Amino acid sequence: MTEHSIIFNGDMVRAILRGEKTQTRRPVKPQPATGCIYSINGAHNAALHLTDAGCQVRYIPPTGRSKDHLLLCPFGQPGDRLWVRETFALGEPPYFGVAYRADEGDNPEDVGGERQKWTPSIHMPRYLSRITLEITDINVERVQDITEDEAIKEGVVDPIMGTYGLSPKTVFRDMWNDIYAERGLGWNENPWVWAITFRRVETSHGG
């Protein structure tokens, strides 16, 4: 078992804490331009294997395949763990309290007598992470392959407003575009993605 970090925004952190988000999709980097694409799951590293044949997704054994032709999933494989980075704030000494933006909204809690500035999630150290996830499955697919049920597992259903009268898949599409469209990986481009299924692991603070 190995550990990798993964970033989630406030909405997705709250969905994980509510137990409503059990999947995430992240673009494959680099996106394969041509070639036959295979996924390796189960006991082996999730990966893309590129050849010059047609383009279908299926499982193949890893033996006899050079790693030079594999794009391994950077988030690990089933059984590995992900520790979540999220926006946070620390209090001044001697208190060293920690606040999480997903809990506090726009303002950090009063830690150490003063409100502290938010620190971007990318800078969160491992020991401050409060959420640890175990990967249970990884697949490789096009983003538009997501089903309505899978969109719900992505945590798109607002606990108060539902899906605003839209289908879960439509809500997911809009969320995807908000993040990736400007990067050239929008819904209409239908990029290849790692579809990661996980469960939350109950641990003490800091993983």
Side-chain angles (χ1 to χ4, degrees):
M1 181 191 73
T2 59
E3 283 194 339
H4 304 267
S5 66
I6 190 169
I7 293 175
F8 286 104
N9 64 26
D11 287 339
M12 296 299 98
V13 166
R14 288 187 287 272
I16 290 172
L17 293 175
R18 293 193 302 265
E20 296 170 358
K21 182 174 178 64
T22 58
Q23 285 190 354
T24 188
R25 281 161 174 75
R26 304 298 169 104
V28 171
K29 298 179 181 180
Q31 288 282 303
T34 59
C36 187
I37 300 174
Y38 301 91
S39 64
I40 302 174
N41 284 26
H44 309 292
N45 283 325
L48 294 180
H49 180 262
L50 309 181
T51 72
D52 295 327
C55 195
Q56 294 182 348
V57 179
R58 63 183 178 89
Y59 297 138
I60 59 172
T63 56
R65 302 290 186 179
S66 168
K67 285 191 175 182
D68 292 340
H69 302 291
L70 293 180
L71 295 177
L72 300 180
C73 178
F75 298 100
Q77 63 183 14
D80 289 344
R81 291 187 173 185
L82 303 169
W83 60 273
V84 174
R85 295 181 189 265
E86 56 181 302
T87 303
F88 70 100
L90 283 177
E92 297 291 342
Y95 301 100
F96 296 108
V98 58
Y100 300 96
R101 189 168 188 175
D103 296 340
E104 301 296 330
D106 291 333
N107 297 307
E109 68 180 11
D110 192 354
V111 285
E114 297 181 4
R115 293 191 181 277
Q116 306 303 315
K117 293 182 179 180
W118 291 120
T119 300
S121 54
I122 188 64
H123 298 303
M124 171 175 274
R126 174 69 180 96
Y127 75 93
L128 288 180
S129 176
R130 57 174 173 166
I131 302 174
T132 301
L133 310 172
E134 181 180 321
I135 298 173
T136 59
D137 187 43
I138 301 179
N139 200 3
V140 60
E141 61 190 35
R142 298 278 193 169
V143 70
Q144 291 183 19
D145 291 336
I146 190 171
T147 66
E148 296 289 348
D149 287 343
E150 288 170 338
I152 293 173
K153 293 177 182 179
E154 282 272 358
V156 302
V157 180
D158 185 277
I160 297 176
M161 300 298 294
T163 55
Y164 307 90
L166 304 172
S167 72
K169 189 170 180 177
T170 298
V171 177
F172 175 81
R173 178 202 67 191
D174 294 343
M175 291 175 57
W176 181 270
N177 279 334
D178 286 343
I179 300 172
Y180 295 111
E182 291 185 355
R183 308 180 196 180
L185 296 170
W187 180 265
N188 289 339
E189 283 69 36
N190 201 17
W192 288 95
V193 297
W194 304 112
I196 304 169
T197 303
F198 56 80
R199 68 177 185 89
R200 188 180 175 197
V201 178
E202 296 296 333
T203 64
S204 60
H205 176 71

